[in-house]
Amino acid sequence: MFDSVEKVETLLGEEKYICDRKIATVVFLAEKLEKPVLVEGPAGVGKTELAKVVAAATGRSLVRLQCYEGLDEAKALYEWEYSKQLLYTQILKERFVQVMAGAKTLSEAAERIGKEDSVFFSEHFIVPRPLLHAITSEEPSLLLVDEVDKSDPEFEAFLLEVLSDFQVTVPEIGTVRAVRKPLVFLTSNNAREMSDALKRRCLHLFIDYPNEALERRILEMKVPGVNEHLMRDLVGMMQRLRELDLKKIPSISETLDWARALLALNATDLDEDVVNQTLNVILKYEGDVRRVQGDLSRLLARKTGEAKAPAAAPTVVPTRTVAKKGALH
Amino acid sequence: MQKKILEFTNILRKSGIRVSTAETLDAFAALDELSIDDRDVFRDALRATMVKRGEEVSTFDQLFELFWSGFYDHLRDAFGTAAEGLEAFGIELEDLLRQIAEQLQNMQGELGDLSELAQAMLTADLDQLEQLIRAAASQSGVDRIENFLQVGFFSRRMLEQMNYEGAGQELRDLAARLEAAGMSPEEVAALRALIDRLMEAARKSVRNFTERSLQQHNHDYMEKFRRETLLEKSFYHLTEEEIRKMREVVERLAQRIKNILSIRRRRLKRGKLDLHQTLRRNMSHGGIPFELAFKQRKKDRPKLVILCDVSSSVANVSRFMLQFVYQLQEAFTRIRSFVFVSELGEVTQLFQEGDINDSIEQALDGGGVINVYTRSNFGAAFHHFWQNFLSAIDNKTTVLVLGDARNNYNDPRAWCLRDIHEKAKNVVWLNPESPSAWGFGDSVMDRYRPYCDVSEECRNLRQLSAMIDRLVL
């Protein structure tokens, strides 16, 4: 599917996901080594999006398992469909009588019923939940275990079996092996440190806030129609905001929201009024908003100061040829 | 290559990044799939397979730079500047080398007669130089380097191993022979200057290599050392910087306790069968109880009343105590905090509004309710509490007192504490002084002690964290 790291980059790019080499490398390796990927990073940098896009780019069906506190095997793996079993028992009552007919003792009757046991505990009466679904899927699939840090430690331990061997054990039926190994993405906001055992089985990808150039490229692709001038101011301001000590640092998703908001307001320039009106799009805490408002003139002053300065020289691309020579001895 | 990766793995481990064998194997598998010509891809592959914690990424990146490149760049810089020195004589390095080769040919010799090192230096063959230096390093056991004082020693050993002086002599002899053979005086002067510079560059490079290996092996060592000592360090002697660092440590400890807490809670939570719920839940199954529901045990979270001495002598203990408690807020039903020196005032309100750390700093400054620039008077403070806030205490409340009980020879009014003790579930006293000092001088700890269920020394983070652990579990 992917034959090189560059191919990953272009394929994801076609799905409107701009990624750097680091992300592409890990995605490439995940596919080649058939290993799950643990994606960590602050909220809103596109962790979940990455999984969705990879699914789309590789033509895999996306199976999503949203984790939360109290999530258990029944909701993640499979559940017996009690009502259906009950219904069938009612309907098949006649047959039971036939089966039991001629049984002399109670224990003999029970034994005969016992022989038919497997009828009721078969795949027929199982409701597959995301995990089982991903494993038994005939088509290639991508399993997204979202916000795995929100789940309980017990559930994490249970995930290990699935992740290491791509198989699950249903006591009544036996072990179910993956027909085609799904590609697995786990995302985590680091609300809780994941266990070493889990980490060991995964490739690790840390996605951080994008740098200015990358953020601009993302903005260009996701929100077309922002003029060059506004885009530079907007991205620059976001980059500076991230340096402040805020309770919730605005992320790339906030940048996109903000750009859309500014477009909706027909703003062509980033002045104090516009920023004040729209600040609640990027900042989610009252304290943060107040803090930035206090600093606003300074943040904007720096902006105008930069705007007056001649356009920055193109960023120097480090010459790779030299570094390469010394890289591997 | 494999050997080099294993060596790198070892260095990562020494720096506190846990890399398991399985992960190393993953790294090899990953490198099989990729072309390793691209340095970035190579680094990303190693990082994805070996580093699993967000906070370790920067350590990895630094070590990667140190280990996989860096040195070559350094060599290039060092020898680059050495050759640049020639410009002052108006002679190009290549021209000079050609001259030398010609002269040598006339003398029926060639560059190949020189030792490897001398040759590599003269022709600025950096690859060869790096190999020579690395070989000398492994011969002289540089990987055993442990501290900065050994840099000089190992550098000298490496130079000896490479026969550095010998190479220098060879080069100088060469210059002399060339002079005798009729090379122009300017050129000879240029050559001599070049040789001096090259020797200097080589010496510096070796030293740089030793320093690098020290950094590689000891990276993070200092950091770890500092963290460990912070745990043990007495609260009495802390610098601003250490207070900041300590905050992080407290945060981590609190997080750990929280994790353990959640597991323990869950185990305890499941109680008896809840008949009512079970029937309700199974109505869809015709009343046949397929799914059972259990009553949840009520969480027994303690109420906490904290009395913090914020006089300068114990301010630091109070600081971390408060940080701990408020980071674990959800482990308690309700926390009321009071600060005192000789007056006592409630600062609970502060913590409900702002950021923890700001609130703490404000509280330590009296929180706008008390004057902190007086002398400690535990008796007066307890009396004040007894008069105004005794109703805050019930049989589910744990009272936590933080102070050194240095009462400046005032009346201890221990009966106040006795009354508090009678009403409360527990009275815990944390004293930053060691028990042997209790009751001596103006310490009235011995008078208060009978009314404390627990009274302990709490002088450093380790003791504090152990105490908190007992409090919440």
Side-chain angles (χ1 to χ4, degrees):
Chain A
M1 234 160 281
F2 293 134
D3 34 22
S4 71
V5 177
E6 289 78 12
K7 191 79 187 296
V8 178
E9 258 175 300
T10 44
L11 275 177
L12 295 190
E14 279 166 24
E15 297 293 328
K16 296 205 167 184
Y17 189 93
I18 296 191
C19 64
D20 52 16
R21 186 55 66 86
K22 187 178 80 180
I23 297 176
T25 309
V26 176
V27 171
F28 174 76
L29 285 178
E31 240 242 324
K32 285 285 171 205
L33 305 181
E34 296 186 323
K35 284 219 149 225
V37 185
L38 175 64
V39 192
E40 285 186 319
V45 289
K47 300 187 290 293
T48 308
E49 189 64 21
L50 173 66
K52 287 187 190 163
V53 166
V54 171
T58 53
R60 290 167 180 265
S61 62
L62 181 75
V63 184
R64 181 170 176 167
L65 173 67
Q66 177 71 44
C67 293
Y68 50 88
E69 210 173 319
L71 176 70
D72 57 10
E73 292 176 46
K75 284 170 199 140
L77 188 56
Y78 70 92
E79 219 171 357
W80 290 109
E81 214 166 347
Y82 299 120
S83 324
K84 198 172 168 189
Q85 286 171 335
L86 208 62
L87 197 66
Y88 273 59
T89 336
Q90 298 287 337
I91 296 169
L92 300 175
K93 221 171 195 170
E94 300 284 302
R95 300 288 304 163
F96 281 116
V97 177
Q98 282 178 23
V99 169
M100 285 187 290
K104 290 193 185 77
T105 60
L106 204 56
S107 59
E108 198 187 335
E111 204 172 301
R112 285 197 199 172
I113 293 277
K115 275 181 193 155
E116 311 290 329
D117 216 21
S118 54
V119 176
F120 283 94
F121 288 98
S122 64
E123 274 141 61
H124 205 63
F125 292 99
I126 275 187
V127 198
R129 299 289 181 194
L131 280 183
L132 192 63
H133 192 81
I135 283 182
T136 50
S137 170
E138 294 281 335
E139 287 140 33
S141 62
L142 185 143
L143 173 66
L144 166 62
V145 185
D146 214 359
E147 304 194 330
V148 65
D149 51 330
K150 302 265 166 63
S151 67
D152 307 318
E154 296 91 336
F155 181 74
E156 196 185 315
F158 156 79
L159 259 185
L160 287 180
E161 185 191 355
V162 182
L163 294 184
S164 53
D165 306 327
F166 292 100
Q167 61 172 42
V168 288
T169 312
V170 181
E172 293 88 349
I173 295 177
T175 304
V176 183
R177 263 194 197 83
V179 191
R180 307 183 69 135
K181 281 191 184 174
L183 199 56
V184 184
F185 278 75
L186 303 104
T187 73
S188 155
N189 277 327
N190 249 337
R192 177 169 70 80
E193 179 96 2
M194 309 309 297
S195 75
D196 278 344
L198 183 82
K199 287 187 160 175
R200 210 168 41 237
R201 283 170 175 79
C202 299
L203 297 175
H204 186 264
L205 174 62
F206 185 80
I207 305 185
D208 210 344
Y209 298 116
N211 60 22
E212 196 159 346
L214 192 64
E215 188 160 19
R216 249 193 246 189
R217 274 175 61 204
I218 296 171
L219 191 60
E220 225 167 303
M221 175 163 271
K222 290 280 185 181
V223 191
V226 183
N227 70 46
E228 182 64 27
H229 174 64
L230 181 63
M231 169 139 38
R232 192 186 56 214
D233 289 355
L234 195 149
V235 172
M237 173 113 178
M238 290 305 278
Q239 295 278 340
R240 282 193 292 276
L241 279 178
R242 288 191 192 122
E243 284 163 21
L244 296 179
D245 182 22
L246 298 175
K247 201 162 174 187
K248 161 84 178 72
I249 297 171
S251 191
I252 181 71
S253 56
E254 272 89 6
T255 312
L256 299 179
D257 286 346
W258 200 25
R260 288 192 193 107
L262 291 173
L263 274 188
L265 290 171
N266 278 328
T268 49
D269 206 3
L270 210 58
D271 56 38
E272 205 155 323
D273 279 346
V274 176
V275 175
N276 257 324
Q277 278 171 30
T278 50
L279 212 49
N280 50 356
V281 178
I282 39 173
L283 299 173
K284 307 295 164 72
Y285 284 96
E286 195 50 38
D288 287 357
V289 173
R290 248 179 288 146
R291 166 116 210 242
V292 171
Q293 269 169 347
D295 263 1
L296 203 54
S297 51
R298 193 177 56 83
L299 284 167
L300 283 170
R302 270 172 71 190
K303 186 206 75 174
T304 44
E306 276 167 26
K308 271 174 205 153
T315 38
V316 182
V317 183
T319 41
R320 199 168 274 157
T321 44
V322 185
K324 203 195 287 177
K325 199 175 176 201
L328 313 162
H329 286 283
Chain B
M1 187 66 195
Q2 279 205 357
K3 207 173 136 206
K4 189 114 197 241
I5 289 179
L6 287 176
E7 199 183 317
F8 184 55
T9 316
N10 268 331
I11 284 173
L12 288 180
R13 286 187 185 136
K14 271 191 190 167
S15 306
I17 299 180
R18 268 181 288 171
V19 185
S20 68
T21 314
E23 282 163 329
T24 317
L25 288 175
D26 282 348
F28 286 134
L31 294 177
D32 283 344
E33 299 289 343
L34 291 163
S35 85
I36 50 173
D37 292 340
D38 189 330
R39 200 171 120 80
D40 289 346
V41 170
F42 175 69
R43 184 189 57 217
D44 293 338
L46 286 189
R47 185 164 50 201
T49 45
M50 288 176 164
V51 185
K52 304 293 168 78
R53 278 192 185 82
E55 63 265 24
E56 285 169 358
V57 170
S58 65
T59 311
F60 171 87
D61 284 351
Q62 282 171 26
L63 284 173
F64 184 89
E65 284 307 316
L66 274 174
F67 189 83
W68 292 102
S69 68
F71 184 61
Y72 188 86
D73 294 341
H74 173 90
L75 270 183
R76 199 183 34 183
D77 287 350
F79 283 88
T81 36
E84 266 167 31
L86 274 183
E87 280 168 21
F89 295 90
I91 298 170
E92 290 281 322
L93 177 65
E94 281 170 27
D95 289 341
L96 187 67
L97 283 177
R98 207 175 321 116
Q99 283 278 344
I100 294 170
E102 276 172 23
Q103 294 282 358
L104 279 174
Q105 232 159 28
N106 296 342
M107 292 154 53
Q108 278 99 37
E110 55 179 23
L111 275 177
D113 296 342
L114 295 169
S115 72
E116 275 183 332
L117 178 63
Q119 221 182 109
M121 282 206 292
L122 194 59
T123 54
D125 182 350
L126 300 186
D127 280 330
Q128 174 70 4
L129 267 171
E130 184 173 356
Q131 271 179 30
L132 286 171
I133 292 179
R134 284 193 189 275
S138 70
Q139 297 263 318
S140 44
V142 172
D143 53 342
R144 287 197 307 272
I145 190 163
E146 269 169 1
N147 64 50
F148 193 76
L149 298 172
Q150 292 171 314
V151 170
F153 169 74
F154 277 109
S155 303
R156 268 196 308 282
R157 245 174 100 163
M158 273 172 69
L159 289 173
E160 274 165 32
Q161 192 71 43
M162 291 162 70
N163 194 15
Y164 167 81
E165 288 302 333
Q169 197 54 50
E170 275 178 61
L171 287 175
R172 278 191 290 274
D173 286 350
L174 177 71
R177 264 160 52 213
L178 288 171
E179 192 177 20
M183 204 174 181
S184 75
E186 298 91 56
E187 277 174 344
V188 173
L191 180 62
R192 290 221 161 98
L194 176 69
I195 289 170
D196 286 347
R197 284 213 189 73
L198 288 176
M199 291 297 286
E200 181 63 17
R203 202 181 53 76
K204 273 196 185 137
S205 297
V206 167
R207 195 176 167 86
N208 181 279
F209 187 89
T210 335
E211 280 169 6
R212 267 165 206 279
S213 8
L214 176 70
Q215 279 175 331
Q216 282 167 15
H217 289 280
N218 282 10
H219 189 274
D220 232 37
Y221 171 75
M222 289 310 286
E223 185 63 23
K224 226 190 298 173
F225 179 70
R226 215 167 30 220
R227 213 175 295 152
E228 283 297 307
T229 41
L230 271 183
L231 273 177
E232 299 287 354
K233 185 145 190 174
S234 161
F235 288 130
Y236 282 123
H237 326 278
L238 285 179
T239 62
E240 287 277 320
E241 172 65 21
E242 282 170 327
I243 287 176
R244 247 197 315 281
K245 285 252 165 202
M246 205 104 145
R247 242 183 233 155
E248 287 163 30
V249 179
V250 170
E251 210 163 298
R252 229 184 332 241
L253 285 173
Q255 188 62 43
R256 217 195 59 207
I257 293 182
K258 250 190 240 177
N259 284 346
I260 299 171
L261 212 60
S262 86
I263 298 174
R264 250 184 239 198
R265 283 269 157 69
R266 203 157 325 194
R267 277 192 204 136
L268 287 174
K269 232 163 65 179
R270 205 166 114 163
K272 285 183 190 160
L273 183 73
D274 185 341
L275 211 58
H276 182 82
Q277 267 294 324
T278 307
L279 285 176
R280 180 78 193 76
R281 200 180 277 181
N282 288 291
M283 282 211 329
S284 55
H285 310 320
I288 299 167
F290 276 109
E291 295 169 78
L292 302 181
F294 293 91
K295 277 182 187 150
Q296 297 209 335
R297 265 189 218 159
K298 246 193 172 163
K299 287 175 189 169
D300 187 23
R301 291 186 299 179
K303 277 187 196 169
L304 204 59
V305 167
I306 312 172
L307 300 177
C308 271
D309 182 356
V310 290
S311 63
S312 54
S313 55
V314 285
N316 272 331
V317 198
S318 302
R319 171 178 287 130
F320 296 115
M321 178 74 221
L322 285 171
Q323 196 195 340
F324 237 125
V325 167
Y326 278 95
Q327 230 133 37
L328 291 171
Q329 285 197 52
E330 57 265 44
F332 307 100
T333 3
R334 182 165 158 71
I335 310 176
R336 288 186 75 173
S337 9
F338 300 85
V339 290
F340 66 88
V341 180
S342 76
E343 300 167 277
L344 175 133
E346 179 161 9
V347 288
T348 314
Q349 190 68 25
L350 277 180
F351 290 94
Q352 281 157 4
E353 288 157 2
D355 166 72
I356 298 181
N357 288 324
D358 293 346
S359 310
I360 290 175
E361 295 310 319
Q362 280 183 49
L364 292 182
D365 211 26
V369 285
I370 63 157
N371 175 13
V372 291
Y373 301 104
T374 52
R375 315 190 89 196
S376 296
N377 186 340
F378 284 73
F382 286 148
H383 195 193
H384 186 81
F385 185 85
W386 183 87
Q387 278 176 327
N388 298 294
F389 300 106
L390 200 57
S391 58
I393 294 174
D394 60 23
N395 60 1
K396 288 197 185 80
T397 312
T398 299
V399 179
L400 194 64
V401 188
L402 242 158
D404 56 4
R406 296 249 162 227
N407 207 21
N408 293 309
Y409 302 104
N410 292 307
D411 177 9
R413 292 184 237 188
W415 56 271
C416 292
L417 192 64
R418 185 196 65 213
D419 283 3
I420 294 171
H421 176 237
E422 269 165 21
K423 282 195 80 182
K425 182 179 163 200
N426 273 319
V427 173
V428 178
W429 191 305
L430 300 182
N431 193 328
E433 285 190 349
S434 98
S436 57
W438 296 358
F440 284 91
D442 60 346
S443 168
V444 285
M445 193 61 201
D446 53 332
R447 300 284 302 276
Y448 291 134
R449 214 174 162 183
Y451 309 117
C452 300
D453 298 280
V454 181
S455 51
E456 273 193 23
E457 177 192 2
C458 179
R459 203 166 34 81
N460 58 35
L461 256 191
R462 200 184 288 287
Q463 287 166 337
L464 180 60
S465 116
M467 193 57 234
I468 299 280
D469 218 66
R470 274 170 59 186
L471 208 62
V472 292
L473 297 181

